[in-house]
């Protein structure tokens, strides 16, 4: 689904989904079909999707559309994708398992 939607760096994005959902077991994943912990900046609440594939599309329209090139992991850090300062290291740990 990630590749089908033309998302760049599909393996990194898959690692993000795995990390964000604790291997697709988190309540946000199971109840809201949100694979990336995407939140509405106005309300601070998690977006809720009818199907997980919608969250993949939303990853592009809410995050990746801004990417203009360079090291993707550094770009994620630069835009403040996650609050956790160790987020990029955690993504790399998941990547090594794939």
């Amino acid at each position: 689904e990630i590749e089908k939607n033309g998302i760049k760096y599909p393996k990194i994005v898959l690692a993000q989904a795995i990390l964000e959902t604790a291997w697709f077991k988190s309540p946000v994943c199971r109840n809201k079909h949100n694979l990336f912990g995407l939140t509405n900046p106005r309300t601070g609440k998690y977006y809720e999707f009818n199907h997980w594939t919608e969250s993949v599309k939303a990853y592009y329209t809410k995050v990746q559309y801004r990417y203009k090139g360079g090291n993707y992991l550094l770009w994620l850090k630069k835009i403040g994708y996650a609050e956790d300062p160790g987020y990029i290291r955690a993504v790399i740990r998941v990547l090594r398992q794939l």
Side-chain angles (χ1 to χ4, degrees), residues 13-47:
V13 175
L14 175 60
Q16 286 182 271
I18 290 168
L19 182 61
E20 293 286 344
T21 63
W23 292 88
F24 308 105
K25 295 177 184 173
S26 74
V28 172
C29 175
R30 298 212 177 231
N31 301 330
K32 299 183 184 298
H33 310 288
N34 187 333
L35 300 185
F36 302 99
L38 298 172
T39 57
N40 184 323
R42 288 183 289 246
T43 64
K45 294 183 179 183
Y46 289 108
Y47 284 110

Side-chain angles (χ1 to χ4, degrees), residues 44-63:
K45 294 183 179 183
Y46 289 108
Y47 284 110
E48 192 164 337
F49 302 100
N50 292 318
H51 193 269
W52 66 267
T53 56
E54 293 175 15
S55 81
V56 174
K57 291 174 187 160
Y59 180 89
Y60 180 82
T61 61
K62 299 187 181 314
V63 179

Side-chain angles (χ1 to χ4, degrees), residues 62-94:
K62 299 187 181 314
V63 179
Q64 202 174 73
Y65 77 95
R66 297 182 280 168
Y67 175 72
K68 302 297 181 218
N71 182 305
Y72 194 70
L73 291 170
L74 291 177
W75 178 79
L76 288 170
K77 185 175 182 176
K78 180 180 173 187
I79 66 166
Y81 180 84
E83 295 173 4
D84 177 3
Y87 182 77
I88 301 304
R89 284 188 303 277
V91 170
I92 291 168
R93 279 194 299 277
V94 173

